[in-house]
Amino acid sequence: MTYYCYQGITGPTGYKGPLYIGLTGPTGSLFLQTGSTGVTGMTGITGPTGVVGMTGVTGPTGSTGYTGLTGVGPTGIAISPNGVLQVLQSTYTDVSTLRSTTFTDIPNLSVSITPSSASSQILVILDVKATGGRPCRIQVLRDASTIMVCNSPEGSPNDTGISQASTFYIDSPNTTSETTYKAQYATAVAADSDVFINRTFTNSNDYRFSVSASSITCIELL
């Protein structure tokens, strides 16, 4: 007995169901928060001091200056400026009177000097204004020793000027100890008339009769 198979007809496609799309949600906010600043690190150790640079080259020596002028003493003695070690002076500006043949100190005409070397010489310059009825005798002492003597001429009551006794002496004291040079005066002939220092024979308050000054200067020389 023969069986026959028959395929049935395909039914129609069913309707598609409705498509529903959900709503899109809101976009999220981007929020970034900056963190706090970190702690500063410790200061590093100071490195060693660098090596000191070399000293620069010394510049050339400047030119030598001109030689100073040569000094001139009272009677033309040449004194090099480099040879004068010290100069001391004493001045007497007052008036004094004496009637005696015995030497007496002229006030303030004294200089004490301490030589720098035993080989030094001392140039003693004396300038005394003196007059009187007799010649005035003047001497210079080193400590207690007389080293020079001079005279000023006598005057008269009518004289309106003053005689000047100026002299110099180069002494070699041969010491480094303090040495004193001083001036003294006396009547030269007889003690029968006055002699005067720094005034005329007639000490009148008159423009014709002058008053002067005396001095002693000591210069140490090499």
Side-chain angles (χ1 to χ4, degrees):
M1 177 177 198
T2 304
Y3 295 91
Y4 296 94
C5 184
Y6 297 96
Q7 183 176 1
I9 301 169
T10 300
T13 303
Y15 294 100
K16 290 182 180 181
L19 177 63
Y20 295 98
I21 300 175
L23 298 176
T24 302
T27 303
S29 299
L30 180 61
F31 181 75
L32 298 177
Q33 183 176 0
T34 303
S36 57
T37 303
V39 179
T40 303
M42 296 192 304
T43 303
I45 299 172
T46 303
T49 304
V51 179
V52 178
M54 297 188 340
T55 303
V57 179
T58 303
T61 303
S63 302
T64 303
Y66 293 108
T67 302
L69 298 176
T70 301
V72 180
T75 57
I77 298 176
I79 302 174
S80 168
N82 294 329
V84 175
L85 298 182
Q86 56 178 320
V87 179
L88 299 176
Q89 184 181 66
S90 181
T91 303
Y92 179 54
T93 58
D94 207 347
V95 172
S96 62
T97 303
L98 179 69
R99 179 178 291 194
S100 174
T101 55
T102 301
F103 279 108
T104 302
D105 292 350
I106 300 176
N108 209 47
L109 287 195
S110 174
V111 169
S112 294
I113 187 170
T114 303
S116 304
S117 170
S119 61
S120 293
Q121 294 181 310
I122 306 298
L123 172 60
V124 182
I125 304 173
L126 182 67
D127 180 26
V128 176
K129 311 301 192 302
T131 190
R134 295 289 185 180
C136 181
R137 191 173 176 85
I138 299 169
Q139 70 174 4
V140 175
L141 285 77
R142 183 212 318 120
D143 294 331
S145 302
T146 300
I147 58 174
M148 63 178 175
V149 179
C150 61
N151 293 334
S152 70
E154 64 183 76
S156 71
N158 295 323
D159 288 342
T160 58
I162 302 177
S163 298
Q164 180 175 2
S166 294
T167 186
F168 75 90
Y169 181 81
I170 297 179
D171 188 39
S172 298
N174 192 30
T175 183
T176 55
S177 299
E178 183 179 72
T179 304
T180 299
Y181 295 88
K182 67 178 181 178
Q184 296 181 328
Y185 73 133
T187 301
V189 181
D192 58 359
S193 182
D194 293 330
V195 288
F196 311 103
I197 300 295
N198 292 342
R199 53 156 281 193
T200 59
F201 192 100
T202 302
N203 190 26
S204 174
N205 186 18
D206 190 305
Y207 72 91
R208 295 174 300 164
F209 303 102
S210 59
V211 176
S212 189
S214 300
S215 66
I216 183 170
T217 305
C218 293
I219 304 173
E220 182 183 0
L221 307 175
L222 284 176

